[in-house]
Amino acid sequence: MKYLAYIFIASFLFISCKQDAKQDSKEETSTVLNKEDYNTYLASNNTSTYDFALKNKEKWASNVAKDSNAIASLSYLASAYNMLFNTTGNVNYLDTVALLQDRALNVSSETFKADKMRARAATFISQHRFQEARDSLLAIKNLSGKSGTNLMLFDAFMETGEYNKAETILDSLKNNKDYDYLIRAAKWNDHKGDLDTAINLLEKAREIADKRKNPTLQIWIYSNLGDFYGHAGRIEDSYNSYLKTLKLQPDNAYVKKGLAWIAYSYEKNADEALRILDSINVNYNTPDYHLLRAEIAEYKGDDAQKEKELQEYKDKVNNPAYGEMYNAYNAVVYAEEFKDFDKALQIAQRDVNNRPTPETYHNLAYVHHLAGNNEKALALIEDHVKGKTYEPMALYHSAIIYKANGMTEHVETLKNDELLGTAYEMGPVTYEKIKNL
């Protein structure tokens, strides 16, 4: 299983793209990383974002203590806790964000309702409560700030698999000089499998962010372009974009994880990948890091360490505060690693119910395959995945299920036309399995 997280940066843009720049099927041994470029960012005392968020939290908590119904103070305090969540991975901070936003909504007048509802919807998205996000936004679509609401509705519709509605909204917002439109248009083209256009749109958004000299926009766009460049096989461009992010935000854990993936998947340097991950986990730790560590342990042939990491993942993800956030991981891990097929099927079905997309359906199909339900798995692939996504893991699971059903021509087509070009994106452990399909 590929354990590089599909994490939400800015709560909505994730990567699931067709890799047009095919990689050679031979093992990659090229070197891109230069420790001198990033060692300074790995220092455990690099906590500028966290320090800023903590200072803000203390300031606004003091204001709220004086007046518990102060709408502005409640909102600023929620923003500070949201930043704390983003910089530590501590899900309890996200729960606090939701509580503060709910309190702000309860005391808001109609004048401020739309703004507060959009903030709450963003938190619903972070919590993977996508249908609640969509419904909250639909409830305020005719109130003030319609453009902002529609942008977020696009995000929500993409997560709930309502692609026609998402496209309609995107068409209504078209403006190639608008940063917020461009990053959504990039996601739409990525969804359609047009990676080149998606990158071009993000590069236009980067020009806008640079022209404005807005660090928040720059951090977001540099980090996302780093991902897209990687999926296109432009590893050096990916690396440089990550470095530009760290120059602005030295404690960006997501980008450091991207560097670790380059070390592991591209350079086949597992020890350097682990060194980078160790530096991240001093201040930031979420369950998915244990999955990546488990994969690296498998690559190194260290079965004991792999089992240890999987158990730590299981222990952490059992925290009820995570809610639906790890369903995509849990469905596969419980079936593939723990062989608990009943629980895996329950989780996978719940994920489909929450967001019926090709990405959740291919997980459900794969879990059915692992549980021995190959005919059911094939029906799910044919009905809900085939021709509907270019995400490599979906194609890989499809190939496995076709093979289990004796459909060798379909397997060979997917393998030769799509999967042999995904060495970097899938990682060496999964790629070895692809070659053996």
Side-chain angles (χ1 to χ4, degrees):
M1 179 184 178
K2 183 189 79 150
Y3 290 136
L4 177 62
Y6 32 94
I7 298 176
F8 287 43
I9 306 177
S11 301
F12 67 85
L13 186 59
F14 66 99
I15 308 301
S16 58
C17 54
K18 178 178 180 180
Q19 184 167 331
D20 294 332
K22 298 295 181 185
Q23 297 171 340
D24 194 280
S25 61
K26 296 179 181 179
E27 290 293 305
E28 269 291 3
T29 57
S30 300
T31 300
V32 169
L33 299 180
N34 180 352
K35 295 178 184 179
E36 293 181 1
D37 291 337
Y38 58 84
N39 268 341
T40 184
Y41 302 124
L42 304 187
S44 60
N45 61 353
N46 250 324
T47 57
S48 55
T49 310
Y50 172 79
D51 295 340
F52 177 79
L54 189 61
K55 183 177 179 180
N56 270 355
K57 188 266 289 187
E58 292 169 351
K59 171 186 175 181
W60 294 110
S62 175
N63 285 10
V64 169
K66 297 173 184 176
D67 182 357
S68 61
N69 291 327
I71 298 173
S73 295
L74 286 168
S75 297
Y76 284 125
L77 183 58
S79 295
Y81 271 105
N82 193 56
M83 188 176 291
L84 287 170
F85 165 67
N86 288 329
T87 56
T88 66
N90 185 337
V91 72
N92 295 319
Y93 286 135
L94 190 60
D95 273 1
T96 302
V97 173
L99 290 172
L100 289 166
Q101 289 174 337
D102 286 341
R103 193 192 304 177
L105 268 169
N106 288 335
V107 298
S108 289
S109 65
E110 286 298 312
T111 304
F112 299 104
K113 183 178 179 180
D115 181 54
K116 305 310 172 192
M117 286 287 281
R118 281 190 291 271
R120 187 67 182 94
T123 302
F124 278 138
I125 290 175
S126 294
Q127 295 172 316
H128 286 209
R129 296 163 64 179
F130 301 116
Q131 294 183 19
E132 290 171 271
R134 176 201 61 197
D135 294 345
S136 296
L137 293 163
L138 287 172
I140 59 168
K141 65 179 182 178
N142 294 320
L143 300 183
S144 61
K146 291 182 182 180
S147 177
T149 300
N150 281 329
L151 287 166
M152 293 189 68
L153 268 173
F154 169 83
D155 305 333
F157 283 139
M158 291 296 289
E159 298 300 343
T160 55
E162 298 173 89
Y163 300 123
N164 290 337
K165 293 179 180 179
E167 184 179 20
T168 297
I169 286 178
L170 191 66
D171 288 343
S172 73
L173 296 169
K174 186 171 183 179
N175 180 355
N176 285 321
K177 295 182 179 180
D178 180 73
Y179 177 94
D180 291 316
Y181 166 78
L182 288 169
I183 61 178
R184 268 86 175 180
K187 180 175 181 177
W188 179 252
N189 279 277
D190 170 58
H191 165 72
K192 295 192 302 179
D194 189 348
L195 180 57
D196 289 340
T197 298
I199 289 175
N200 179 260
L201 289 163
L202 286 180
E203 288 173 338
K204 289 181 178 178
R206 181 182 61 191
E207 291 175 7
I208 293 172
D210 287 342
K211 186 175 181 180
R212 294 183 187 175
K213 298 180 179 180
N214 183 317
T216 300
L217 300 184
Q218 289 173 311
I219 289 166
W220 193 96
I221 198 67
Y222 295 162
S223 55
N224 275 274
L225 267 171
D227 289 340
F228 273 75
Y229 286 143
H231 294 304
R234 296 167 58 178
I235 311 303
E236 188 168 358
D237 287 336
S238 174
Y239 175 56
N240 288 330
S241 198
Y242 286 151
L243 290 179
K244 288 177 71 175
T245 311
L246 290 173
K247 187 175 181 180
L248 292 173
Q249 188 179 34
D251 55 348
N252 189 307
Y254 180 84
V255 164
K256 292 176 190 177
K257 190 175 186 182
L259 295 181
W261 187 259
I262 292 175
Y264 162 63
S265 185
Y266 186 69
E267 298 191 354
K268 309 299 186 294
N269 189 340
D271 290 338
E272 178 62 7
L274 289 172
R275 186 179 79 92
I276 296 170
L277 292 175
D278 286 343
S279 76
I280 300 169
N281 295 151
V282 171
N283 299 310
Y284 184 98
N285 206 337
T286 54
D288 52 278
Y289 277 80
H290 293 291
L291 295 182
L292 178 52
R293 287 176 176 275
E295 179 172 335
I296 294 173
E298 182 178 350
Y299 175 70
K300 297 179 70 175
D302 189 342
D303 292 339
Q305 185 63 32
K306 176 185 175 182
E307 293 305 313
K308 178 177 181 291
E309 297 292 351
L310 288 172
Q311 187 58 50
E312 289 198 40
Y313 169 81
K314 188 177 183 180
D315 292 343
K316 284 187 178 178
V317 84
N318 280 333
N319 182 347
Y322 285 114
E324 310 298 323
M325 293 172 67
Y326 280 85
N327 283 348
Y329 289 114
N330 287 340
V332 174
V333 172
Y334 273 94
E336 197 171 56
E337 305 292 353
F338 301 129
K339 310 304 178 186
D340 189 342
F341 301 119
D342 288 341
K343 184 168 185 176
L345 284 169
Q346 291 173 5
I347 295 170
Q349 186 62 59
R350 197 162 70 242
D351 205 24
V352 165
N353 294 342
N354 184 31
R355 47 177 186 140
T357 66
E359 287 69 36
T360 57
Y361 271 109
H362 79 74
N363 272 347
L364 178 61
Y366 182 57
V367 173
H368 271 293
H369 157 70
L370 293 174
N373 309 322
N374 285 319
E375 290 185 4
K376 175 65 174 178
L378 178 61
L380 288 167
I381 292 295
E382 291 288 295
D383 293 343
H384 300 288
V385 181
K386 183 180 179 181
K388 294 179 171 65
T389 179
Y390 298 100
E391 200 269 322
M393 189 55 71
L395 302 180
Y396 174 54
H397 285 166
S398 297
I400 290 173
I401 291 164
Y402 285 138
K403 185 175 182 178
N405 283 275
M407 302 169 68
T408 55
E409 289 186 7
H410 287 69
V411 177
E412 289 302 309
T413 297
L414 284 176
K415 178 179 177 179
N416 294 324
D417 293 351
E418 303 290 347
L419 292 171
L420 287 178
T422 64
Y424 173 74
E425 189 167 3
M426 299 295 271
V429 170
T430 302
Y431 192 67
E432 193 62 31
K433 297 173 184 177
I434 287 171
K435 291 192 292 184
N436 293 326
L437 278 170

